[in-house]
Amino acid sequence: KTALQFRANAAAAVAAQASANLSMWAPCVPANIAAQAACEQTIIAQVGQRAYRHPLSADDSAQMKALFDAGVAAGNDFATGVDWFLTGLLQTPDFQYQLIRPAANEQSGQVVPITRYEMASRLSYYLWDSMPDDALFAAAAAAAGLSDAASVQAQVTRLTQNSALLVRGMTSFYSNWLNTPAYGEGLVKNDASGNPDVNFTQAVALSLGQSILMEATQLYVSPSPNITSLFTGETFY
């Protein structure tokens, strides 16, 4: 299967499960037909903004509504509208990538500041390897949010205090940078005679990669983080 087919199938599977369990995640579940239009708008506004990680444009909202309405018409029920909406949403470039779109009056080669919502995504994906949380969205929405060093530093401090999510983000960063998943794929170590060491098995190589990740992530949750310890320390996990 092509990557496009894989993404389409994955999106459809997630959407089907989500539409069958609306009460578990949706901001609203319409009690009757009369309540469907308002609930649809709420879902589009809240879920759409979280998926895109920035406020929706009028165009964005209109396209999502058209897809949602087409699903409702096709299945003659609200759940099918949710299914179609999510299936489409999960395949959009704005959901799958961190896109930086030029402003309408922006010139080629012009240096422009990072927008508040772009900064929110950069902080969150770097530190947590995940989308911004409600507090980070709120900071980006504030009048002067994330537009100066002090507000950015305040969010960095807050994000790094969540040790579980910070460890996940740092694990992702270092595993990509050091390519630790490849440690068990043909990594060899020679013995004193220059021959391959038979005791250096694939399991040992994978454990080495895991120990490096543990050492790296512990730097960020220790009382006194020091990046040089990653390369000069003698601690092994």
Side-chain angles (χ1 to χ4, degrees), residues 139-176:
L146 302 181
S147 58
D148 61 85
S151 61
V152 171
Q153 182 59 57
Q155 288 303 313
V156 169
T157 299
R158 184 184 69 83
L159 293 171
T160 54
Q161 288 172 347
N162 189 321
S163 58
L165 292 179
L166 180 64
V167 166
R168 181 179 70 181
M170 293 301 98
T171 298
S172 175
F173 173 80
Y174 282 103
S175 63
N176 281 317

mmCIF file of all heavy atoms in Angstrom, residues 139-176:
data_model
loop_
_atom_site.group_PDB
_atom_site.id
_atom_site.type_symbol
_atom_site.label_atom_id
_atom_site.label_comp_id
_atom_site.label_asym_id
_atom_site.label_seq_id
_atom_site.Cartn_x
_atom_site.Cartn_y
_atom_site.Cartn_z
ATOM 1 N N ALA A 139 -2.284 30.730 26.357
ATOM 2 C CA ALA A 139 -1.171 31.686 26.319
ATOM 3 C C ALA A 139 -1.015 32.271 24.921
ATOM 4 O O ALA A 139 -0.758 33.470 24.756
ATOM 5 C CB ALA A 139 0.121 30.996 26.756
ATOM 6 N N ALA A 140 -1.174 31.443 23.904
ATOM 7 C CA ALA A 140 -1.057 31.924 22.528
ATOM 8 C C ALA A 140 -2.203 32.868 22.172
ATOM 9 O O ALA A 140 -2.035 33.799 21.383
ATOM 10 C CB ALA A 140 -1.045 30.741 21.562
ATOM 11 N N ALA A 141 -3.376 32.638 22.766
ATOM 12 C CA ALA A 141 -4.549 33.464 22.464
ATOM 13 C C ALA A 141 -4.532 34.798 23.202
ATOM 14 O O ALA A 141 -5.247 35.734 22.810
ATOM 15 C CB ALA A 141 -5.820 32.701 22.814
ATOM 16 N N ALA A 142 -3.737 34.905 24.270
ATOM 17 C CA ALA A 142 -3.687 36.137 25.059
ATOM 18 C C ALA A 142 -3.149 37.294 24.213
ATOM 19 O O ALA A 142 -2.443 37.087 23.224
ATOM 20 C CB ALA A 142 -2.821 35.936 26.296
ATOM 21 N N ALA A 143 -3.481 38.506 24.613
ATOM 22 C CA ALA A 143 -3.144 39.699 23.824
ATOM 23 C C ALA A 143 -1.672 39.761 23.446
ATOM 24 O O ALA A 143 -1.324 40.072 22.315
ATOM 25 C CB ALA A 143 -3.561 40.951 24.593
ATOM 26 N N ALA A 144 -0.786 39.490 24.405
ATOM 27 C CA ALA A 144 0.649 39.555 24.113
ATOM 28 C C ALA A 144 1.313 38.208 24.363
ATOM 29 O O ALA A 144 2.522 38.124 24.593
ATOM 30 C CB ALA A 144 1.301 40.631 24.978
ATOM 31 N N GLY A 145 0.516 37.158 24.300
ATOM 32 C CA GLY A 145 1.024 35.837 24.635
ATOM 33 C C GLY A 145 2.093 35.323 23.690
ATOM 34 O O GLY A 145 1.969 35.441 22.469
ATOM 35 N N LEU A 146 3.155 34.781 24.253
ATOM 36 C CA LEU A 146 4.235 34.122 23.515
ATOM 37 C C LEU A 146 4.878 35.030 22.467
ATOM 38 O O LEU A 146 5.413 34.550 21.467
ATOM 39 C CB LEU A 146 3.722 32.830 22.849
ATOM 40 C CG LEU A 146 3.117 31.789 23.797
ATOM 41 C CD1 LEU A 146 2.674 30.561 23.005
ATOM 42 C CD2 LEU A 146 4.090 31.388 24.888
ATOM 43 N N SER A 147 4.808 36.332 22.704
ATOM 44 C CA SER A 147 5.425 37.266 21.754
ATOM 45 C C SER A 147 6.666 37.928 22.323
ATOM 46 O O SER A 147 7.273 38.784 21.684
ATOM 47 C CB SER A 147 4.408 38.346 21.341
ATOM 48 O OG SER A 147 3.943 39.051 22.474
ATOM 49 N N ASP A 148 7.064 37.544 23.538
ATOM 50 C CA ASP A 148 8.279 38.090 24.143
ATOM 51 C C ASP A 148 8.981 36.990 24.928
ATOM 52 O O ASP A 148 8.403 35.938 25.214
ATOM 53 C CB ASP A 148 7.943 39.268 25.055
ATOM 54 C CG ASP A 148 7.023 38.859 26.195
ATOM 55 O OD1 ASP A 148 7.526 38.377 27.226
ATOM 56 O OD2 ASP A 148 5.790 38.981 26.034
ATOM 57 N N ALA A 149 10.231 37.229 25.267
ATOM 58 C CA ALA A 149 11.055 36.209 25.921
ATOM 59 C C ALA A 149 10.480 35.777 27.268
ATOM 60 O O ALA A 149 10.538 34.604 27.622
ATOM 61 C CB ALA A 149 12.476 36.736 26.097
ATOM 62 N N ALA A 150 9.912 36.718 28.005
ATOM 63 C CA ALA A 150 9.405 36.392 29.341
ATOM 64 C C ALA A 150 8.234 35.424 29.276
ATOM 65 O O ALA A 150 8.164 34.462 30.054
ATOM 66 C CB ALA A 150 8.995 37.677 30.061
ATOM 67 N N SER A 151 7.300 35.643 28.363
ATOM 68 C CA SER A 151 6.133 34.759 28.263
ATOM 69 C C SER A 151 6.531 33.389 27.737
ATOM 70 O O SER A 151 5.977 32.367 28.149
ATOM 71 C CB SER A 151 5.050 35.380 27.378
ATOM 72 O OG SER A 151 5.528 35.591 26.063
ATOM 73 N N VAL A 152 7.503 33.354 26.829
ATOM 74 C CA VAL A 152 7.997 32.066 26.336
ATOM 75 C C VAL A 152 8.690 31.308 27.456
ATOM 76 O O VAL A 152 8.472 30.111 27.651
ATOM 77 C CB VAL A 152 8.953 32.268 25.136
ATOM 78 C CG1 VAL A 152 9.633 30.951 24.773
ATOM 79 C CG2 VAL A 152 8.194 32.807 23.932
ATOM 80 N N GLN A 153 9.536 32.002 28.216
ATOM 81 C CA GLN A 153 10.246 31.359 29.318
ATOM 82 C C GLN A 153 9.275 30.822 30.361
ATOM 83 O O GLN A 153 9.493 29.747 30.929
ATOM 84 C CB GLN A 153 11.204 32.351 29.975
ATOM 85 C CG GLN A 153 12.024 31.744 31.123
ATOM 86 C CD GLN A 153 12.870 30.571 30.678
ATOM 87 O OE1 GLN A 153 13.696 30.705 29.773
ATOM 88 N NE2 GLN A 153 12.665 29.407 31.282
ATOM 89 N N ALA A 154 8.193 31.551 30.623
ATOM 90 C CA ALA A 154 7.201 31.089 31.594
ATOM 91 C C ALA A 154 6.585 29.768 31.155
ATOM 92 O O ALA A 154 6.375 28.862 31.977
ATOM 93 C CB ALA A 154 6.116 32.150 31.770
ATOM 94 N N GLN A 155 6.322 29.635 29.859
ATOM 95 C CA GLN A 155 5.747 28.383 29.362
ATOM 96 C C GLN A 155 6.772 27.259 29.342
ATOM 97 O O GLN A 155 6.447 26.104 29.620
ATOM 98 C CB GLN A 155 5.153 28.601 27.971
ATOM 99 C CG GLN A 155 3.873 29.414 27.955
ATOM 100 C CD GLN A 155 2.796 28.802 28.816
ATOM 101 O OE1 GLN A 155 2.534 27.594 28.758
ATOM 102 N NE2 GLN A 155 2.141 29.620 29.627
ATOM 103 N N VAL A 156 8.022 27.586 29.017
ATOM 104 C CA VAL A 156 9.072 26.560 29.056
ATOM 105 C C VAL A 156 9.208 26.010 30.470
ATOM 106 O O VAL A 156 9.296 24.793 30.680
ATOM 107 C CB VAL A 156 10.426 27.138 28.575
ATOM 108 C CG1 VAL A 156 11.564 26.155 28.881
ATOM 109 C CG2 VAL A 156 10.374 27.434 27.089
ATOM 110 N N THR A 157 9.194 26.894 31.450
ATOM 111 C CA THR A 157 9.285 26.473 32.851
ATOM 112 C C THR A 157 8.115 25.573 33.216
ATOM 113 O O THR A 157 8.296 24.529 33.858
ATOM 114 C CB THR A 157 9.305 27.701 33.782
ATOM 115 O OG1 THR A 157 10.446 28.500 33.461
ATOM 116 C CG2 THR A 157 9.378 27.280 35.237
ATOM 117 N N ARG A 158 6.915 25.954 32.803
ATOM 118 C CA ARG A 158 5.735 25.142 33.118
ATOM 119 C C ARG A 158 5.797 23.773 32.437
ATOM 120 O O ARG A 158 5.526 22.738 33.053
ATOM 121 C CB ARG A 158 4.465 25.877 32.683
ATOM 122 C CG ARG A 158 3.170 25.152 33.048
ATOM 123 C CD ARG A 158 1.957 25.895 32.509
ATOM 124 N NE ARG A 158 1.875 25.849 31.058
ATOM 125 C CZ ARG A 158 1.360 24.828 30.378
ATOM 126 N NH1 ARG A 158 0.897 23.744 31.022
ATOM 127 N NH2 ARG A 158 1.297 24.861 29.062
ATOM 128 N N LEU A 159 6.154 23.767 31.169
ATOM 129 C CA LEU A 159 6.192 22.501 30.420
ATOM 130 C C LEU A 159 7.237 21.538 30.983
ATOM 131 O O LEU A 159 7.017 20.332 31.025
ATOM 132 C CB LEU A 159 6.476 22.780 28.939
ATOM 133 C CG LEU A 159 5.386 23.530 28.167
ATOM 134 C CD1 LEU A 159 5.890 23.921 26.787
ATOM 135 C CD2 LEU A 159 4.123 22.709 28.047
ATOM 136 N N THR A 160 8.365 22.073 31.395
ATOM 137 C CA THR A 160 9.432 21.199 31.895
ATOM 138 C C THR A 160 9.139 20.663 33.293
ATOM 139 O O THR A 160 9.825 19.745 33.758
ATOM 140 C CB THR A 160 10.781 21.932 31.913
ATOM 141 O OG1 THR A 160 10.658 23.155 32.645
ATOM 142 C CG2 THR A 160 11.255 22.223 30.499
ATOM 143 N N GLN A 161 8.136 21.208 33.947
ATOM 144 C CA GLN A 161 7.772 20.707 35.270
ATOM 145 C C GLN A 161 6.947 19.429 35.198
ATOM 146 O O GLN A 161 6.788 18.733 36.211
ATOM 147 C CB GLN A 161 7.003 21.785 36.050
ATOM 148 C CG GLN A 161 7.898 22.930 36.512
ATOM 149 C CD GLN A 161 7.121 24.079 37.116
ATOM 150 O OE1 GLN A 161 5.899 24.160 36.986
ATOM 151 N NE2 GLN A 161 7.821 24.974 37.787
ATOM 152 N N ASN A 162 6.426 19.116 34.026
ATOM 153 C CA ASN A 162 5.700 17.859 33.827
ATOM 154 C C ASN A 162 6.724 16.803 33.403
ATOM 155 O O ASN A 162 7.011 16.629 32.221
ATOM 156 C CB ASN A 162 4.610 18.026 32.775
ATOM 157 C CG ASN A 162 3.694 16.813 32.679
ATOM 158 O OD1 ASN A 162 4.142 15.674 32.780
ATOM 159 N ND2 ASN A 162 2.407 17.052 32.488
ATOM 160 N N SER A 163 7.279 16.102 34.371
ATOM 161 C CA SER A 163 8.409 15.208 34.094
ATOM 162 C C SER A 163 8.041 14.062 33.158
ATOM 163 O O SER A 163 8.844 13.669 32.313
ATOM 164 C CB SER A 163 8.984 14.654 35.405
ATOM 165 O OG SER A 163 7.991 13.964 36.137
ATOM 166 N N ALA A 164 6.819 13.529 33.269
ATOM 167 C CA ALA A 164 6.434 12.394 32.415
ATOM 168 C C ALA A 164 6.409 12.794 30.946
ATOM 169 O O ALA A 164 6.956 12.090 30.081
ATOM 170 C CB ALA A 164 5.073 11.860 32.840
ATOM 171 N N LEU A 165 5.782 13.940 30.630
ATOM 172 C CA LEU A 165 5.715 14.388 29.245
ATOM 173 C C LEU A 165 7.071 14.895 28.754
ATOM 174 O O LEU A 165 7.420 14.736 27.585
ATOM 175 C CB LEU A 165 4.659 15.484 29.098
ATOM 176 C CG LEU A 165 3.211 15.027 29.293
ATOM 177 C CD1 LEU A 165 2.250 16.201 29.159
ATOM 178 C CD2 LEU A 165 2.843 13.931 28.302
ATOM 179 N N LEU A 166 7.833 15.488 29.659
ATOM 180 C CA LEU A 166 9.170 15.955 29.270
ATOM 181 C C LEU A 166 10.069 14.786 28.896
ATOM 182 O O LEU A 166 10.795 14.840 27.894
ATOM 183 C CB LEU A 166 9.794 16.750 30.419
ATOM 184 C CG LEU A 166 11.209 17.298 30.147
ATOM 185 C CD1 LEU A 166 11.189 18.303 29.007
ATOM 186 C CD2 LEU A 166 11.779 17.937 31.401
ATOM 187 N N VAL A 167 10.028 13.719 29.673
ATOM 188 C CA VAL A 167 10.833 12.531 29.363
ATOM 189 C C VAL A 167 10.424 11.952 28.014
ATOM 190 O O VAL A 167 11.271 11.550 27.214
ATOM 191 C CB VAL A 167 10.696 11.476 30.474
ATOM 192 C CG1 VAL A 167 11.234 10.127 30.012
ATOM 193 C CG2 VAL A 167 11.446 11.934 31.726
ATOM 194 N N ARG A 168 9.117 11.946 27.729
ATOM 195 C CA ARG A 168 8.655 11.447 26.423
ATOM 196 C C ARG A 168 9.209 12.308 25.293
ATOM 197 O O ARG A 168 9.689 11.790 24.271
ATOM 198 C CB ARG A 168 7.127 11.446 26.369
ATOM 199 C CG ARG A 168 6.574 10.905 25.053
ATOM 200 C CD ARG A 168 5.066 10.896 25.034
ATOM 201 N NE ARG A 168 4.496 12.233 24.972
ATOM 202 C CZ ARG A 168 3.188 12.474 24.959
ATOM 203 N NH1 ARG A 168 2.338 11.473 25.046
ATOM 204 N NH2 ARG A 168 2.742 13.712 24.893
ATOM 205 N N GLY A 169 9.161 13.623 25.462
ATOM 206 C CA GLY A 169 9.674 14.509 24.421
ATOM 207 C C GLY A 169 11.166 14.363 24.220
ATOM 208 O O GLY A 169 11.652 14.316 23.082
ATOM 209 N N MET A 170 11.908 14.283 25.303
ATOM 210 C CA MET A 170 13.360 14.150 25.195
ATOM 211 C C MET A 170 13.762 12.782 24.631
ATOM 212 O O MET A 170 14.729 12.658 23.896
ATOM 213 C CB MET A 170 14.014 14.370 26.557
ATOM 214 C CG MET A 170 13.887 15.791 27.089
ATOM 215 S SD MET A 170 14.615 17.054 25.977
ATOM 216 C CE MET A 170 13.140 17.646 25.089
ATOM 217 N N THR A 171 12.995 11.743 24.987
ATOM 218 C CA THR A 171 13.258 10.417 24.431
ATOM 219 C C THR A 171 13.103 10.429 22.916
ATOM 220 O O THR A 171 13.928 9.874 22.182
ATOM 221 C CB THR A 171 12.314 9.369 25.042
ATOM 222 O OG1 THR A 171 12.543 9.288 26.451
ATOM 223 C CG2 THR A 171 12.541 7.996 24.424
ATOM 224 N N SER A 172 12.050 11.086 22.440
ATOM 225 C CA SER A 172 11.834 11.188 20.999
ATOM 226 C C SER A 172 12.970 11.945 20.325
ATOM 227 O O SER A 172 13.494 11.530 19.285
ATOM 228 C CB SER A 172 10.504 11.889 20.726
ATOM 229 O OG SER A 172 10.312 12.115 19.350
ATOM 230 N N PHE A 173 13.397 13.065 20.936
ATOM 231 C CA PHE A 173 14.466 13.883 20.348
ATOM 232 C C PHE A 173 15.764 13.092 20.253
ATOM 233 O O PHE A 173 16.407 13.034 19.189
ATOM 234 C CB PHE A 173 14.679 15.148 21.186
ATOM 235 C CG PHE A 173 15.872 15.954 20.757
ATOM 236 C CD1 PHE A 173 15.798 16.796 19.665
ATOM 237 C CD2 PHE A 173 17.076 15.858 21.443
ATOM 238 C CE1 PHE A 173 16.909 17.538 19.257
ATOM 239 C CE2 PHE A 173 18.191 16.595 21.045
ATOM 240 C CZ PHE A 173 18.098 17.434 19.943
ATOM 241 N N TYR A 174 16.183 12.480 21.355
ATOM 242 C CA TYR A 174 17.474 11.807 21.371
ATOM 243 C C TYR A 174 17.461 10.499 20.571
ATOM 244 O O TYR A 174 18.480 10.117 19.995
ATOM 245 C CB TYR A 174 17.925 11.557 22.814
ATOM 246 C CG TYR A 174 18.475 12.794 23.471
ATOM 247 C CD1 TYR A 174 17.719 13.510 24.386
ATOM 248 C CD2 TYR A 174 19.743 13.265 23.148
ATOM 249 C CE1 TYR A 174 18.216 14.671 24.975
ATOM 250 C CE2 TYR A 174 20.250 14.425 23.724
ATOM 251 C CZ TYR A 174 19.476 15.119 24.636
ATOM 252 O OH TYR A 174 19.964 16.274 25.203
ATOM 253 N N SER A 175 16.323 9.829 20.533
ATOM 254 C CA SER A 175 16.282 8.599 19.738
ATOM 255 C C SER A 175 16.407 8.908 18.252
ATOM 256 O O SER A 175 17.014 8.149 17.485
ATOM 257 C CB SER A 175 14.989 7.814 20.014
ATOM 258 O OG SER A 175 13.850 8.558 19.628
ATOM 259 N N ASN A 176 15.860 10.065 17.836
ATOM 260 C CA ASN A 176 16.007 10.479 16.440
ATOM 261 C C ASN A 176 17.415 10.994 16.163
ATOM 262 O O ASN A 176 18.017 10.679 15.140
ATOM 263 C CB ASN A 176 14.980 11.574 16.112
ATOM 264 C CG ASN A 176 13.606 11.024 15.867
ATOM 265 O OD1 ASN A 176 13.439 10.014 15.202
ATOM 266 N ND2 ASN A 176 12.587 11.670 16.419
#
